[in-house]
Amino acid sequence: MDGHGGRERQLFELGRLVKAGLTQPLGLMRPGGVGRILAVRSGEGDVERGLLEMGFVEGACVEVLHHGFLGRDPLAVRINQAMTVALRRGEANAVLVGPLLNRATDVEPTTDQESRPS
Amino acid sequence: MTAGTLAAEGFRPARIALVGPPNSGKTTLFNTLTGGRQKTANYPGVTVERKSGLLKTPGGHPVEVLDLPGSYSLRARSPDEAITRDVVLGRQARETLPDALVCVTDATNLGQHLRLLLELRQLGRPLILVLNMMDIAQKRGCQISTEALSRQLGIPVVTTVAMRKHGVRDLLGQIDALLNQAPAGDGVTAISDWVEPSPDAIRAHHREVERLLQEAVVREGAPEHLTRQLDRVLLHPVAGPLILLALLFLMFQAVFSWAEAPMDWIDGGMAGLQQWLSAHMEESLLKSLLVDGIVAGVGGVVIFLPQILILFLFILLLEDSGYMTRAAFLMDRLMSAVGLNGRAFIPLLSSFACAIPGIMAARTIAHPLDRLVTILIAPLMTCSARLPVYVLLIAAFVPATTVWGGIGLQGLVMFGLYATGIVGALAVAGVLRLTLLRGDRQPLLMELPSYKWPNPANVLLGLWERAKIFMRRIGTIILSVLVILWFLSTFPAAPEGATEPAIYYSFAGLIGRTLEPLLAPIGFNWQIAIALVPGLAAREVAVAALGTVYALSGDEGAVTEALTTTLAQSWTLATALSLLAWYVFAPQCLATLAAVRRETNSWRWAAFMFVYLMTLAYLAAFVTYRVALALGGG
């Protein structure tokens, strides 16, 4: 993630995951869908910064909770089980989400009661 | 010399700024800290409220606490957030750099809120971290080591429960300690080397926060459940919009039914005052000014205070409980169809009471174009000042019958007028977004906070603020306009042997009669034209003015009653409908125009609003009049 080489390697990894069908933009996920953010990238710098400031950062767990009633837009997304953010599909598509790879600190977002060991 | 000694020697109180993300309980903490000793003013040039309060710490330091607008980052995205940035950096005009910053965070959401603290820490100013809402965090089983956090950050850390004064003593103690050691005259007046964090800097902050939490969080709390369960219903694709609609319906029902009694009291009080003045004063110009000009005029405006307060009570309750953002979520798609942001829902809802607080509430909309469009369409929401006119004309011209099995026709017409305003507003927004105010669609990115019980103190303080704003408007703009209008409609006096009412010969009459040819195509007679002159200042004044023109006397209730009969006899249905259509659009409120000027910082937009609304009003009245004539309403 740090440095130029790291980012290229990461992009390469992302490409592989996309081909394997394991990653998708946040905007395509359905309510109930969970995953881990792999990349936050937008053509416009301000959208990227806005997303980062609201907690959409690489490594964060996301869970799509709700869709709007018209055109299934906007989305309500829970980040790291702590904060819920509403955003439109357009912006959500700047967030690339992969599977919850089994990191030791992972939570199963479907079973809320479990506390996160640290 | 330290800030403490400076203050002790009476130079000035030390200045502490509260900074924190929205929903961190910052304002509640501010209210607890300062109690009733608060002062609300505006920052020069903008109408962002500057909230400050004075207090004395246990150590005897007088302190001015400043409550800065909530912000997720110093990279300001809205005018509110820009104030926070500028004050914190010492860039705000007529505002010295705070001696210390208190960063208020929600202990249940530290993962997001500590990032702002890291941004603030980079500024190198004296800083205290407050972990607020600690009770909720503990209830969820969360344990945080403040010592570890303090050690890692190198700043004092305090836990508080803002609503219950808990921990406030600790916070004041830390402020004391800081003031005793922090040099105030350290020569720093502004922070000049601050740069907006780049995306990678934000990522680095996120990693730093994660590291800090691993050090400091002894045990993580369980995630919150109630909000999730409630949202399952309140944001449900079918149930959600229905519940929102039901809530709005209930709200408007309450506004009209609950306000009835207090409005009658105000009405009675004003009528009593008028009678008392009439009985106890010599016949003079001063008496005329007081009775006809000021008491009648002020009474006609004050009477809306109960409705405005009830509407705001609902809005503040919905806002404080966290539901308002859900309403914005539900409405976003609908509003984005005409280029508006879901957040515009709140200002537009407020505008149903009065456009002025609505226009002010638009400040929470980050993007300038979104904000401008919201401000420009806010006056199309049917504010309570239109009601007296609507009620009068509907009572006079719409038969009190029922249609379609039990729906009152009069109520239906009223609903139609509200709906016309809303549809007109959406259409105008869409057109503006496609023409003059073209721009990229702005991101929504809005936090949906956890639901909580509204805090009564916050709600009451909020209501008190609205009441003050409204009364101040009456005391300044409306009062001076009323005096001018009284002058215009009193001088020159009617000549000997006059056949028309006195107002006919006055300046107002002259203006009205000059306008008459212009207003004839939309079916307005000279009486309406004259009444519209004072009605330009405030819509509701037109009713009283019509009473004057038709030479009716008595207190307000009697005039309205007599007017209903007089109008039904002397106007055609087409004229009445045309005037109703005119009232949906016409910008007859000087205070609103003044608010638009203040909020947009230019007369240009105020003038633009006046012209576009006038044009719409004329067109709507023209079409209505012609169609009604063609259908036999003459």
Side-chain angles (χ1 to χ4, degrees):
Chain A
M1 216 181 280
D2 324 52
H4 198 65
R7 174 156 285 179
E8 274 196 353
R9 201 168 52 244
Q10 193 198 4
L11 282 174
F12 176 74
E13 280 296 311
L14 286 181
R16 277 193 341 155
L17 287 167
V18 172
K19 274 198 193 129
L22 290 170
T23 64
Q24 55 186 333
L26 180 59
L28 288 185
M29 289 172 67
R30 296 183 167 267
V34 291
R36 186 180 293 288
I37 297 178
L38 297 174
V40 181
R41 205 126 315 178
S42 156
E44 303 151 76
D46 270 5
V47 172
E48 184 173 335
R49 277 197 285 196
L51 287 166
L52 287 167
E53 280 166 2
M54 295 303 280
F56 291 97
V57 64
E58 286 86 355
C61 302
V62 287
E63 177 184 9
V64 177
L65 296 181
H66 309 279
H67 275 154
F69 67 103
L70 286 175
R72 298 195 294 132
D73 198 18
L75 292 82
V77 180
R78 193 123 175 105
I79 306 170
N80 283 337
Q81 301 225 51
M83 176 157 134
T84 309
V85 175
L87 77 171
R88 291 190 188 138
R89 194 178 300 278
E91 282 86 57
N93 281 336
V95 178
L96 200 58
V97 180
L100 278 177
L101 299 172
N102 289 326
R103 222 165 71 175
T105 53
D106 266 5
V107 212
E108 277 298 318
T110 38
T111 56
D112 291 332
Q113 281 90 346
E114 281 182 25
S115 62
R116 178 161 145 191
S118 43
Chain B
M1 203 182 285
T2 70
T5 51
L6 262 179
E9 286 161 29
F11 284 97
R12 62 169 175 84
R15 285 163 34 83
I16 306 263
L18 295 187
V19 194
N23 310 309
S24 59
K26 184 174 55 63
T27 299
T28 314
L29 183 63
F30 173 75
N31 289 342
T32 312
L33 273 174
T34 58
R37 296 157 311 222
Q38 292 183 16
K39 217 176 77 188
T40 310
N42 279 339
Y43 290 99
V46 285
T47 39
V48 177
E49 277 165 10
R50 180 192 189 276
K51 283 166 75 179
S52 66
L54 283 174
L55 61 91
K56 205 165 196 130
T57 62
H61 296 296
V63 171
E64 187 196 15
V65 184
L66 196 61
D67 182 23
L68 293 176
S71 186
Y72 290 103
S73 158
L74 287 183
R75 188 182 71 90
R77 287 184 291 173
S78 69
D80 268 14
E81 293 178 355
I83 289 286
T84 301
R85 177 196 64 205
D86 290 346
V87 170
V88 163
L89 298 178
R91 292 177 182 176
Q92 179 66 34
R94 276 186 261 165
E95 197 74 60
T96 51
L97 188 68
D99 296 310
L101 302 174
V102 173
C103 181
V104 186
T105 57
D106 174 356
T108 64
N109 195 8
L110 282 183
Q112 302 300 338
H113 285 184
L114 280 184
R115 217 181 41 71
L116 176 67
L117 177 96
L118 294 179
E119 276 193 49
L120 293 172
R121 198 177 58 156
Q122 285 184 330
L123 305 177
R125 299 293 300 162
L127 180 63
I128 299 173
L129 169 62
V130 171
L131 306 182
N132 200 12
M133 308 198 213
M134 204 54 204
D135 55 334
I136 301 174
Q138 278 165 350
K139 216 178 286 167
R140 294 195 205 150
C142 173
Q143 268 179 37
I144 302 167
S145 159
T146 50
E147 294 81 23
L149 205 51
S150 172
R151 200 172 50 241
Q152 291 286 330
L153 289 165
I155 59 166
V157 178
V158 185
T159 62
T160 54
V161 179
M163 263 198 245
R164 291 192 212 103
K165 305 199 177 200
H166 188 280
V168 165
R169 208 171 331 123
D170 289 352
L171 174 59
L172 290 173
Q174 290 294 349
I175 291 175
D176 260 337
L178 215 57
L179 291 178
N180 283 331
Q181 54 169 292
D186 56 2
V188 183
T189 54
I191 292 154
S192 51
D193 58 350
W194 179 83
V195 284
E196 276 193 1
S198 65
D200 281 337
I202 302 172
R203 289 185 169 98
H205 277 159
H206 273 295
R207 284 196 297 274
E208 172 69 3
V209 168
E210 203 162 307
R211 191 190 67 79
L212 282 169
L213 290 181
Q214 264 175 13
E215 296 285 336
V217 176
V218 183
R219 202 155 67 95
E220 284 230 18
E224 211 235 343
H225 258 292
L226 184 64
T227 297
R228 247 185 121 98
Q229 305 288 341
L230 281 172
D231 272 344
R232 226 164 253 166
V233 181
L234 295 174
L235 295 182
H236 187 272
V238 181
L242 288 179
I243 292 171
L244 175 62
L245 212 63
L247 262 174
L248 293 180
F249 181 76
L250 182 84
M251 197 163 104
F252 282 105
Q253 278 295 311
V255 163
F256 293 116
S257 56
W258 297 357
E260 223 168 286
M263 286 173 86
D264 283 345
W265 303 333
I266 294 176
D267 203 19
M270 286 292 165
L273 187 61
Q274 266 178 318
Q275 272 168 6
W276 187 85
L277 283 174
S278 303
H280 288 79
M281 279 181 81
E282 296 280 310
E283 206 58 53
S284 67
L285 273 181
L286 180 67
K287 177 182 168 184
S288 159
L289 172 64
L290 274 178
V291 176
D292 303 330
I294 292 174
V295 178
V298 168
V301 187
V302 172
I303 199 160
F304 295 109
L305 189 61
Q307 285 189 340
I308 288 177
L309 288 184
I310 291 171
L311 186 57
F312 271 115
L313 176 68
F314 273 89
I315 289 174
L316 288 168
L317 285 176
L318 291 180
E319 215 154 356
D320 216 40
S321 64
Y323 182 77
M324 233 12 156
T325 54
R326 269 72 179 186
F329 177 88
L330 291 171
M331 296 303 290
D332 181 71
R333 184 54 200 261
L334 216 59
M335 308 198 39
S336 73
V338 291
L340 282 169
N341 196 295
R343 283 175 196 260
F345 181 70
I346 299 161
L348 294 180
L349 190 61
S350 310
S351 300
F352 280 104
C354 174
I356 294 162
I359 286 166
M360 283 163 55
R363 288 192 301 233
T364 53
I365 299 171
H367 194 259
L369 279 185
D370 280 4
R371 186 163 166 259
L372 189 55
V373 175
T374 309
I375 288 174
L376 289 174
I377 63 168
L380 284 170
M381 301 296 127
T382 302
C383 68
S384 47
R386 286 181 176 92
L387 282 175
V389 181
Y390 286 180
V391 168
L392 173 74
L393 292 181
I394 288 176
F397 289 95
V398 179
T401 54
T402 57
V403 287
W404 302 324
I407 302 173
L409 187 59
Q410 294 189 329
L412 203 63
V413 172
M414 185 70 99
F415 176 79
L417 293 169
Y418 271 84
T420 311
I422 296 170
V423 172
L426 294 180
V428 169
V431 170
L432 283 175
R433 275 316 223 154
L434 288 175
T435 54
L436 250 127
L437 300 173
R438 220 169 12 206
D440 294 337
R441 239 170 57 123
Q442 287 305 306
L444 177 69
L445 281 176
M446 172 180 68
E447 183 180 352
L448 302 175
S450 298
Y451 291 106
K452 63 182 176 67
W453 283 110
N455 174 0
N458 276 0
V459 171
L460 286 178
L461 268 169
L463 267 186
W464 171 237
E465 285 298 322
R466 307 293 156 189
K468 268 204 308 204
I469 291 170
F470 183 71
M471 295 308 282
R472 201 180 303 145
R473 170 186 161 225
I474 291 176
T476 52
I477 298 178
I478 295 200
L479 196 63
S480 40
V481 167
L482 285 171
V483 173
I484 295 171
L485 287 175
W486 170 83
F487 177 82
L488 286 179
S489 36
T490 311
F491 296 104
E496 288 289 322
T499 49
E500 302 287 354
I503 195 172
Y504 183 84
Y505 305 95
S506 67
F507 291 121
L510 193 71
I511 298 171
R513 280 179 288 146
T514 316
L515 287 176
E516 198 199 340
L518 196 67
L519 296 175
I522 58 175
F524 292 2
N525 52 25
W526 69 262
Q527 287 94 336
I528 298 179
I530 291 177
L532 283 182
V533 175
L536 205 62
R539 297 182 172 90
E540 61 276 22
V541 178
V543 173
L546 276 174
T548 318
V549 177
Y550 282 103
L552 301 165
S553 55
D555 64 43
E556 227 186 288
V559 169
T560 310
E561 218 158 281
L563 253 186
T564 311
T565 347
T566 314
L567 294 189
Q569 286 161 2
S570 55
W571 291 5
T572 63
L573 179 64
T575 294
L577 292 179
S578 166
L579 186 59
L580 281 176
W582 168 273
Y583 253 81
V584 171
F585 296 100
Q588 302 187 107
C589 180
L590 288 180
T592 300
L593 293 172
V596 170
R597 196 216 78 87
R598 255 195 349 246
E599 293 290 323
T600 60
N601 232 337
S602 89
W603 278 114
R604 213 166 54 109
W605 286 112
F608 172 78
M609 193 174 90
F610 183 81
V611 171
Y612 105 76
L613 285 175
M614 243 352 168
T615 315
L616 273 185
Y618 195 88
L619 287 176
F622 184 80
V623 170
T624 308
Y625 185 60
R626 295 293 147 181
V627 169
L629 278 187
L631 294 177

